[in-house]
Each structure stands twice: as C-alpha cells, then as structure tokens.
Amino acid sequence: LSHCSMSTLLTYLTLIIMALQQLSLSDSPPYCDDGYPIIIVGSGLAGHSAAAELITILSSQNKLESHPIIMLEKEPKFGGNSMKATSGINGAGTEFQKESDIKDDPNDFSKDTYYSALGGKSNIDESKQSENPEMNGLITTLTKSSSSAVNWLKNEFDLQLTAISQCGGHSHPRTHRPPAGPAGNIIVKTVHKKIEDQVEWRYNSLVLQILMDTESKTVIGVKYKDNNDDGKIKDLYGMAVILTAGGFG
C-alpha cells in the first residue's frame, strides 16, 4: 500500500470478499462450538471489510452472537496504513465510471498492471507473459473483480467515490476517491462507523504466532502480546483466523 495508490488495499478487499462469500461455518468441535470467536488480525480496510462481510454471513445464519468477531490491532487505534492512502481506489467498469461516461475495461486494467509490475511497457516481452502464471493469476484477481469491490463500498456503505482521476500507469481514469478529503481515511472511517458496535476491538495487541492443532494441522487461534495488560502474552482460540495485516508495519 502506498500513499499514491490503493491497489494493494483493493487486492486484499477483493480477496477477502471472495473468500468470505464461500465461508461455510462448521459444527465440528471444539473450536467451532458456540462462544468461540472469529479472529481478525489487522484493522485496516481489509480487516474492516472482512468484519463487515462476516457480520452479514453470521447474521444470515443466526450465529452472530454465538461467534463474536474479535479484531486484534497492534496500534492504539484502528485504520492501519489504509488511513494513510490519499489517492484513491482503482476499479475498472465501476458504477461510478458508467455514471460519468468513462469507458474502461478490466482487460485494459490487467494490461496496465502487468506493464507496471515489470517496470513499464518498454521492458515487456509480450511472448513471455504466460511464463509467470502466479503473477498473472494475482493480476487477474485484482483487475477482474475491481469493479465489484468499488461497487460494494458504494452500495453497502453509501460511499460516494465520484472523483475519478487517471493516475500514472493507467490508460483510463479509474482511481476513485471522495469529492474532498483523504480517500483512505474517509473510506475506513465510514466502514468503521457501520460495524463498530458489532465487533470487539482489541488495540495494542501484537500477534506473535498462529496457533496450530498438531494432529489436525488446522489453525485454532493466535498468541498475542497484550500491551494493555503489561505486555502479557496471551492465547486466543477461535473457529477461524483471518489475516489482514499487509501494510508496511
């Protein structure tokens, strides 16, 4: 995540939404029993997006009270590096673009991203693009789902990302931001306001280790340092752990 682009943030947001839409809550004991939480590590926009989708999923299954959502954040406040992003969030084929009569295509976004990843169009050997399937897969996920991520922010949180600009490396205007103010700060605070009362926020909580069940090879929780309690090391068990800590720190 950089101050001039929220592409990394968009990648996380897209992947989080796609993964959580496939979430099926298991009834297998012990950590899926009532009372065990779902743990989210990192309270940037990715963490907020995960929490928002979980609230929808758990509510639809009448399990929100049975499986509380706990957000662990190492800093004394929410937001992470998402709060520092100033330029906007990229999306191709969004509702906002259509309303502004901006012609854009996910395929163009994919090409722009591929060129940028390799240092510019002049460095590209088009015949070798297929030689990096892992990078191509990530780029496809980022670009093909980018419009749904931006539209989600609009439709779920009434975020008006109507100021659309063409930033460096893009062939069309596709960087969305509010009409005024820092984009990341406004987006995160808007999402936070909607979900704040339905999430347990544990600040000053530095996750040190993912806890595994040695027999089943499954994740069962985290070990973290609670700086609100004299730096005590604590174990927190849950039915799922979602890692959304992808910023600079």
Side-chain angles (χ1 to χ4, degrees):
L1 179 65
S2 68
H3 293 262
C4 60
S5 173
M6 295 176 77
S7 292
T8 303
L9 182 153
L10 176 59
T11 306
Y12 270 113
L13 192 157
T14 302
L15 291 172
I16 287 293
I17 293 174
M18 291 174 65
L20 289 176
Q21 286 173 342
Q22 304 300 317
L23 179 65
S24 177
L25 299 181
S26 171
D27 292 325
S28 301
Y31 300 110
C32 292
D33 292 347
D34 286 355
Y36 282 99
I38 297 178
I39 304 162
I40 302 175
V41 181
S43 71
L45 181 54
H48 276 72
S49 300
E53 282 291 281
L54 279 170
I55 289 168
T56 299
I57 294 168
L58 291 167
S59 296
S60 70
Q61 300 184 18
N62 296 316
K63 289 182 176 288
L64 186 56
E65 293 186 3
S66 301
H67 298 291
I69 301 167
I70 297 178
M71 182 85 70
L72 297 177
E73 168 58 52
K74 68 178 181 178
E75 300 295 335
K77 57 184 179 180
F78 69 87
N81 290 303
S82 301
M83 297 285 276
K84 303 172 185 176
T86 58
S87 181
I89 183 167
N90 299 316
T94 68
E95 294 175 13
F96 291 118
Q97 286 177 309
K98 293 173 183 176
E99 291 167 2
S100 299
D101 199 28
I102 295 173
K103 308 299 182 184
D104 195 7
D105 187 282
N107 291 325
D108 289 343
F109 190 9
S110 181
K111 289 179 182 178
D112 294 342
T113 305
Y114 180 75
Y115 295 151
S116 178
L118 296 182
K121 192 171 183 178
S122 60
N123 297 327
I124 304 301
D125 182 348
E126 299 283 1
S127 65
K128 295 183 178 181
Q129 183 170 352
S130 61
E131 295 180 5
N132 197 335
E134 182 177 353
M135 183 178 75
N136 293 338
L138 290 172
I139 289 174
T140 298
T141 298
L142 166 68
T143 57
K144 302 299 183 185
S145 303
S146 62
S147 62
S148 61
V150 175
N151 293 341
W152 181 75
L153 290 172
K154 174 190 178 186
N155 297 323
E156 292 294 321
F157 305 99
D158 196 30
L159 276 158
Q160 298 303 306
L161 307 177
T162 54
I164 307 173
S165 59
Q166 183 172 340
C167 292
H170 294 280
S171 56
H172 304 284
R174 65 169 68 103
T175 303
H176 298 65
R177 57 172 296 135
N185 185 288
I186 291 171
I187 293 171
V188 174
K189 285 185 175 179
T190 299
V191 177
H192 185 82
K193 184 177 180 180
K194 184 171 181 177
I195 69 172
E196 181 176 11
D197 294 338
Q198 295 173 288
V199 176
E200 180 182 335
W201 305 86
R202 296 190 186 181
Y203 300 114
N204 298 306
S205 298
L206 176 63
V207 173
L208 304 172
Q209 181 182 342
I210 303 297
L211 301 177
M212 301 283 294
D213 179 82
T214 54
E215 291 188 8
S216 64
K217 307 294 185 183
T218 56
V219 174
I220 57 174
V222 299
K223 185 183 294 292
Y224 73 100
K225 181 179 181 181
D226 187 352
N227 290 314
N228 293 314
D229 192 10
D230 297 324
K232 290 182 180 178
I233 306 301
K234 300 180 178 180
D235 291 341
L236 177 62
Y237 296 96
M239 65 171 294
V241 176
I242 301 173
L243 298 177
T244 57
F248 294 124

